[in-house]
Amino acid sequence: MTDPRQRPRRGQGELEALVLSALREADGPVTAGWVQERLGGDLAYTTVITILTRLLAKGAVTRERAGRSFAWTPSSDHAGLAAGKMRKVLDAENDREAVLASFVTGLDPDDERLLRDLLGQAHGEGDG
């Protein structure tokens, strides 16, 4: 039987999302202690450090020395992180053309139109 006073355990992805959200709300680089306080002290300091270190390894955050500690900053916004994940999945596949074709054919018409517009902008179409 579980102790009703215990909080449900959160998954790693959920904790990473919480920490990244806190970092994005900051006005600049912040310490792990700041992140812990921002999250309401719900997480142990060592857990916050572990999550930040994992995010650093994934390229989602950067850090700089701040005295005896580090100050942490998100390396990109939410869209940039999602795009990075998409590139990582694509890079892991042998048949990039098949993956991209499958992705594009699965888009709804509005997303397909948006993708076409973005590709046109990236290639300088309409720069007359």
Side-chain angles (χ1 to χ4, degrees), residues 89-108:
V89 168
L90 183 60
D91 289 345
E93 295 297 325
N94 291 329
D95 191 348
R96 295 173 73 90
E97 183 177 346
V99 173
L100 285 170
S102 180
F103 176 75
V104 170
T105 58
L107 292 174
D108 68 41

Side-chain angles (χ1 to χ4, degrees), residues 49-67:
I49 290 291
T50 299
I51 294 165
L52 287 166
T53 303
R54 286 180 182 156
L55 290 168
L56 180 66
K58 293 178 179 182
V61 300
T62 59
R63 69 180 183 187
E64 59 189 50
R65 242 330 147 188

Side-chain angles (χ1 to χ4, degrees), residues 20-53:
L20 279 171
S21 178
L23 288 174
R24 284 191 200 102
E25 293 172 5
D27 291 332
V30 294
T31 64
W34 184 93
V35 172
Q36 181 190 26
E37 288 176 23
R38 186 70 176 185
L39 297 176
D42 189 29
L43 297 175
Y45 180 81
T46 54
T47 301
V48 173
I49 290 291
T50 299
I51 294 165
L52 287 166
T53 303

Side-chain angles (χ1 to χ4, degrees), residues 78-89:
H78 187 69
L81 291 173
K85 289 178 187 177
M86 293 167 70
R87 279 190 300 276
K88 189 174 182 179
V89 168

Side-chain angles (χ1 to χ4, degrees), residues 86 98-119:
M86 293 167 70
V99 173
L100 285 170
S102 180
F103 176 75
V104 170
T105 58
L107 292 174
D108 68 41
D110 289 338
D111 287 339
E112 184 178 343
R113 198 169 14 264
L114 175 60
L115 182 57
R116 287 182 190 279
D117 291 346
L118 291 170
L119 288 171

